[in-house]
Amino acid sequence: MEGEIKAEFEKNGFILDNEEEILNKCLTFCINYKLNPSDLVSSWDVYSLNRKLKDLVVQNVEMEGFLSHLQNEQKEAVVKQEADLHFYSSKDVDMILNDDEENFKDAILSTPPGKNAKPYSDPFDSALYSNGNGYSSEKPSRLVTPFGRRTDKFVARFNFNNLPDTENGDEKDAGMDSEDDVIKRVKPLKRFSLVVNGDGPEPGCRFMYDRIEDRFNALDNRIRRRAASLFSSGIYEEPSDPSVASGRSIFAVGMICCEEEGRLNDKSIMLQSSIEHSGGQRVRLDLQKVNQFSVFPGQIVGVEGNNPSGYCLIASKLVDSVPLSANNVEDLHPAKRPALDQDIQLVDSSSPEKEISVLIASGPFTTTDNLYFEPLSELLAYARKKQPQLLILLGPFVDSEHPEVKKGTADRSFDEIFHIEIIRRVQDYVEHMGSNARVILVPSTRDANHDFVFPQPAFDIHPPELKHQIKSLPNPGIFEANQVRVGCCTVDILKQLSGEELSRNPKDGSPPSDRMSRLASHILNQQRQLQHENIPESSFYPLYPPAEDVPLDFSLSPKALHIASPPPDILILPSDMKYFIKVLTLGGTTEGEEQRKCICINPGRLAKGEGGGTFAELDYGGSPDRMNASIWSI
């Protein structure tokens, strides 16, 4: 039979590297899995294509990976026939031999443990890892994965340098630095403050109680608040009913809607006003006379125009942003001045304390061909060298779109994968870095081990002795690190806005705006502080109706989606779209209006398919004019 196997390989153009040993292993594969030589070579052909092997040489080093491929093929074939089977692995055998009956029972459960289970009782038990073949899915030392075979490691894809004499802007291969060079460059970690803000839902909260009334009231409140903000600015008149026929020019405020299912077009734009001004009626909106605009369903806008027929509002001007606060402190009640002075001091960009170094990475954190989490290990190794003050990890962590998770062929529960592959590695990183290191985790609606709802509660994690160093935020979430205000949201709002936006470039020949900056600005350009009250006009998710894969729940913590004043210094919006670092300018559209700047970052995905992706590194010195930012490939 070995001769038949060799002949079949040669027939398909393959050359055997170590012929005797390879044929011996292939013969064993055929016997164990009841394969004929033709089936075996066909499986090798599929394996070599998936692994992107460049030549037709069958190497002995690939036999272990080929064995795993054959096992997965056999498993998938059986799963299609018998859905309720548990596949016993070497882990099960080890637990039986060690008389670990309790862990053995837990391992064969097909559903994650209940919410009342203590997530840290087992994963952080040191005895669990005393056996080298325990729960950890560390890849076998001789197995070479496509990720491990990559050649371009830690290459700078994008640089934004305003700080002199720092290593972040160096485009040389960061992974090639020697340990001595790193030790000479790295400064000891400085102490810094970390304050979590926001009104996100609590872990364990009930959801799926969203009512039509809740949605209607939330949308109407957004329209009313926008109308109040525009009127109080003193620039615009009090909003009128846009559905009433009138020959004179009026000013109206409402929400952009689409008349029919599908994308917006210039014939399907509708404006829905508030209950207060029009009883919630809709009227067709004509933007032919507007020089430049960018609209999407759910956007709250102000419109100057006239409605001679009562059926169509002909716009002459579209107001898609609210002027930033221009109120004088002297106009406030004396009791309000100290509080406002304190707020101004907290966001003063010249404050020397507003400095932070941070690494930002967004999941998936493992490649699609395995659950070894190699990209996460490489990222943490890089962080150990660079020693940032803060490491921000954004979900998904246990990606529901991963093939093994999607098919249900993973041999552990989702909670076990999360606590062992993610939390355990992060804990090791923090213990290595010392007491001043901080890590923030933000969940995603794609996390298979977490609540499928948006806004989303934080992970219920409390690692022993490290609860002040490892924090979890709700999604979306806002926090302050060294007085630097940071907002983040793991829902891919940029990609969704890109698919729904309708825009027109300037007719007067002016250069068109940058598309990514324009999409990101939609998140923040509704920000305004109305006199001494913080009215949360901005929203992390301004799109309505939401995308099909976004489980938006208006009844769950109504303020969780709002971005209260002042706007964040750094806005993190991970997306499947190409990575970027943009400086957004807010305000300045009217005379005398102050301008603010915000850094918007899309770090990309840390893992893409079977290869590595990208992450972001930022040294922030208090303003966009004093920062270094880079996008690195892993």
Side-chain angles (χ1 to χ4, degrees):
M1 192 171 182
E2 288 184 355
E4 296 179 9
I5 296 173
K6 178 181 177 182
E8 193 68 31
F9 271 115
E10 292 176 348
K11 178 182 176 182
N12 287 270
F14 292 106
I15 303 173
L16 304 182
D17 181 25
N18 189 341
E19 183 175 310
E20 182 178 355
E21 191 169 352
I22 289 176
L23 288 177
N24 187 29
K25 291 182 179 180
C26 288
L27 177 60
T28 304
F29 297 160
C30 287
I31 295 173
N32 291 344
Y33 299 109
K34 298 179 181 180
L35 301 173
N36 59 45
S38 178
D39 293 336
L40 179 76
V41 176
S42 296
S43 294
W44 170 262
D45 195 13
V46 173
Y47 171 79
S48 63
L49 290 174
N50 289 340
R51 297 296 186 184
K52 299 180 181 179
L53 302 181
K54 296 181 180 179
D55 49 33
L56 297 177
V57 178
V58 181
Q59 297 181 349
N60 189 41
V61 70
E62 295 289 345
M63 286 296 103
E64 191 170 354
F66 183 44
L67 174 60
S68 298
H69 173 76
L70 292 174
Q71 291 172 341
N72 288 335
E73 282 188 340
Q74 296 289 322
K75 184 186 294 185
E76 289 176 3
V78 176
V79 166
K80 292 179 181 178
Q81 301 175 0
E82 301 288 345
D84 298 327
L85 287 182
H86 169 71
F87 290 90
Y88 292 86
S89 63
S90 59
K91 178 182 67 178
D92 302 322
V93 177
D94 292 331
M95 286 188 288
I96 294 173
L97 294 177
N98 293 331
D99 295 327
D100 196 351
E101 182 180 355
E102 196 65 31
N103 282 337
F104 174 72
K105 291 180 180 178
D106 291 340
I108 64 174
L109 293 177
S110 59
T111 56
K115 293 184 178 180
N116 293 330
K118 296 181 179 179
Y120 282 88
S121 58
D122 289 334
F124 287 97
D125 185 358
S126 60
L128 186 60
Y129 304 104
S130 60
N131 188 336
N133 296 321
Y135 274 91
S136 179
S137 66
E138 288 288 338
K139 69 183 181 71
S141 58
R142 289 178 294 174
L143 179 59
V144 181
T145 63
F147 180 82
R149 196 183 290 115
R150 74 198 191 284
T151 55
D152 294 334
K153 301 180 181 180
F154 296 102
V155 177
R157 300 297 184 186
F158 175 83
N159 282 318
F160 193 110
N161 300 324
N162 285 328
L163 290 177
D165 300 326
T166 60
E167 74 274 10
N168 275 23
D170 195 354
E171 294 188 16
K172 72 178 182 179
D173 190 339
M176 300 299 293
D177 294 336
S178 68
E179 294 293 338
D180 291 339
D181 292 338
V182 172
I183 292 174
K184 289 177 182 178
R185 286 204 318 266
V186 169
K187 298 179 181 180
L189 285 179
K190 298 179 181 179
R191 285 184 171 273
F192 80 114
S193 61
L194 180 62
V195 180
V196 177
N197 301 331
D199 300 298
E202 295 294 328
C205 63
R206 299 197 309 168
F207 52 94
M208 295 181 65
Y209 289 88
D210 198 13
R211 300 175 301 173
I212 296 179
E213 181 183 357
D214 296 326
R215 291 174 176 259
F216 181 83
N217 289 337
L219 295 173
D220 191 64
N221 287 337
R222 285 180 58 195
I223 300 173
R224 289 191 300 104
R225 286 170 176 159
R226 170 56 69 86
S229 297
L230 289 171
F231 177 62
S232 66
S233 69
I235 302 174
Y236 307 101
E237 63 184 52
E238 185 174 359
S240 305
D241 183 355
S243 62
V244 175
S246 174
R248 68 179 184 87
S249 177
I250 64 169
F251 179 72
V253 178
M255 181 177 69
I256 297 293
C257 305
C258 187
E259 185 179 19
E260 54 194 19
E261 291 188 8
R263 291 193 56 177
L264 277 180
N265 58 64
D266 55 357
K267 302 296 184 182
S268 65
I269 306 175
M270 304 287 288
L271 185 72
Q272 176 180 323
S273 191
S274 66
I275 294 292
E276 178 183 356
H277 293 107
S278 70
Q281 295 188 60
R282 293 183 178 183
V283 64
R284 186 178 301 279
L285 183 61
D286 186 350
L287 298 178
Q288 292 298 321
K289 294 184 179 181
V290 180
N291 176 54
Q292 177 184 8
F293 63 82
S294 172
V295 295
F296 59 88
Q299 183 183 20
I300 312 298
V301 297
V303 181
E304 289 184 357
N306 65 315
N307 185 358
S309 64
Y311 298 100
C312 181
L313 178 62
I314 303 174
S316 58
K317 181 179 179 181
L318 192 70
V319 182
D320 61 355
S321 62
V322 181
L324 294 172
S325 177
N327 299 292
N328 295 323
V329 176
E330 290 78 4
D331 295 336
L332 299 180
H333 189 277
K336 300 289 184 180
R337 294 179 188 174
L340 183 59
D341 292 340
Q342 185 179 6
D343 289 341
I344 295 175
Q345 185 178 0
L346 287 176
V347 299
D348 183 10
S349 61
S350 64
S351 174
E353 290 81 12
K354 291 185 66 172
E355 297 180 356
I356 186 175
S357 61
V358 57
L359 288 184
I360 306 167
S362 175
F365 291 93
T366 188
T367 52
T368 55
D369 57 332
N370 59 60
L371 288 172
Y372 297 148
F373 289 85
E374 295 172 275
L376 177 60
S377 296
E378 293 278 354
L379 175 72
L380 294 177
Y382 181 88
R384 286 187 179 96
K385 290 183 178 182
K386 288 302 184 81
Q387 298 192 359
Q389 292 175 306
L390 181 62
L391 175 62
I392 302 176
L393 303 179
L394 306 113
F397 296 94
V398 184
D399 189 6
S400 59
E401 296 298 319
H402 190 281
E404 292 190 32
V405 175
K406 204 170 186 178
K407 295 178 182 178
T409 56
D411 58 356
R412 294 171 294 172
S413 72
F414 303 145
D415 278 343
E416 286 174 336
I417 296 174
F418 176 70
H419 286 106
I420 295 170
E421 302 295 352
I422 304 296
I423 300 300
R424 180 192 175 199
R425 295 171 195 256
V426 171
Q427 181 185 10
D428 291 343
Y429 163 77
V430 169
E431 290 175 346
H432 173 84
M433 297 292 288
S435 59
N436 290 332
R438 297 290 186 274
V439 179
I440 285 180
L441 284 73
V442 183
S444 165
T445 54
R446 282 169 52 183
D447 274 309
N449 64 309
H450 201 44
D451 297 332
F452 183 66
V453 66
F454 184 74
Q456 196 172 22
F459 288 120
D460 190 11
I461 55 173
H462 304 285
E465 300 179 359
L466 296 174
K467 60 182 179 179
H468 298 298
Q469 293 183 260
I470 303 177
K471 297 273 189 181
S472 178
L473 263 64
N475 173 35
I478 297 178
F479 64 94
E480 292 184 10
N482 278 8
Q483 302 180 15
V484 179
R485 188 171 168 84
V486 183
C488 47
C489 178
T490 58
V491 168
D492 197 345
I493 181 60
L494 293 177
K495 185 177 180 180
Q496 294 167 14
L497 282 176
S498 176
E500 298 292 341
E501 181 199 36
L502 175 66
S503 63
R504 175 187 294 164
N505 291 327
K507 296 180 180 179
D508 55 9
S510 303
S513 59
D514 177 72
R515 188 161 186 258
M516 287 295 102
S517 297
R518 186 176 70 240
L519 292 176
S521 295
H522 284 313
I523 310 296
L524 296 174
N525 66 4
Q526 302 178 29
Q527 183 69 49
R528 173 176 171 78
Q529 181 176 334
L530 178 59
Q531 292 188 4
H532 59 274
E533 299 181 13
N534 285 338
I535 295 184
E537 293 293 340
S538 298
S539 172
F540 277 107
Y541 198 85
L543 187 64
Y544 189 84
E548 290 183 359
D549 59 346
V550 177
L552 185 61
D553 191 330
F554 280 102
S555 67
L556 192 62
S557 188
K559 296 182 180 179
L561 297 178
H562 295 159
I563 306 176
S565 183
D569 301 298
I570 302 171
L571 181 63
I572 305 172
L573 300 175
S575 173
D576 291 334
M577 304 181 76
K578 187 177 180 180
Y579 54 78
F580 65 80
I581 299 174
K582 303 286 186 181
V583 178
L584 309 180
T585 301
L586 310 177
T589 57
T590 59
E591 184 177 354
E593 182 187 357
E594 72 171 299
Q595 280 190 348
R596 289 180 180 172
K597 292 184 178 181
C598 171
I599 304 167
C600 185
I601 300 176
N602 170 22
R605 305 295 185 184
L606 192 66
K608 292 184 177 180
E610 294 187 358
T614 56
F615 66 94
E617 184 174 7
L618 175 66
D619 282 337
Y620 183 77
S623 72
D625 299 328
R626 299 185 66 253
M627 75 165 186
N628 276 358
S630 303
I631 298 290
W632 295 89
S633 62
I634 189 70

